[in-house]
Amino acid sequence: QVQLVESGGGLVQAGGSLRLSCAASGRTSSRYAMGWFRQAPGKEREFVAGISMSGGSTYYAESVKGRFTISRNNAKNTVYLQMNSLKPEDTAVYYCASSDSNQAGPYNYWGQGTQVTVSS
């Protein structure tokens, strides 16, 4: 059973930074691509960033390019999302996801989510 547990969310002012973490268990997560998604109130869940098994390939939504950085520590089975220059429109519940592919999606396993609120 794959389990993904997010942490690091919170309230931050616009222009600030947060780092989200996702701890994976239940299988060797280092063999699989991981990603971050978010869902704002009244909106559909959207892709934010993805990272390949080795960490050699990363993918970002246009809205976060240059501000967010995804990374992973396979020895700790943990994926991170460093979020800088946060904007009020980044407010959402952020979800960690795991794929059965080693490069990218589709993502089949999901965490419970962590709330990020950016005040103006």
Side-chain angles (χ1 to χ4, degrees):
Q1 182 80 9
V2 178
Q3 288 191 319
L4 304 172
V5 179
E6 303 96 336
S7 62
L11 173 65
V12 64
Q13 288 188 330
S17 299
L18 281 175
R19 188 175 84 153
L20 305 183
S21 298
C22 172
S25 62
R27 67 176 183 177
T28 306
S29 62
S30 59
R31 296 179 182 175
Y32 304 98
M34 301 286 290
W36 287 95
F37 289 71
R38 67 187 181 187
Q39 187 167 19
K43 295 187 177 181
E44 293 188 353
R45 189 175 297 188
E46 63 174 0
F47 172 79
V48 174
I51 188 166
S52 63
M53 170 187 70
S54 66
S57 296
T58 56
Y59 316 90
Y60 296 94
E62 285 296 326
S63 59
V64 306
K65 273 184 182 178
R67 300 188 298 122
F68 291 11
T69 302
I70 188 171
S71 61
R72 66 191 300 163
N73 184 330
N74 286 338
K76 294 184 177 181
N77 290 327
T78 302
V79 176
Y80 305 97
L81 185 68
Q82 178 67 43
M83 306 186 294
N84 298 328
S85 301
L86 282 161
K87 305 175 181 179
E89 51 263 44
D90 295 317
T91 295
V93 177
Y94 282 71
Y95 297 91
C96 176
S98 179
S99 172
D100 286 325
S101 161
N102 59 18
Q103 285 299 313
Y107 298 92
N108 302 316
Y109 307 96
W110 299 86
Q112 298 280 6
T114 185
Q115 176 71 46
V116 171
T117 303
V118 184
S119 63
S120 57

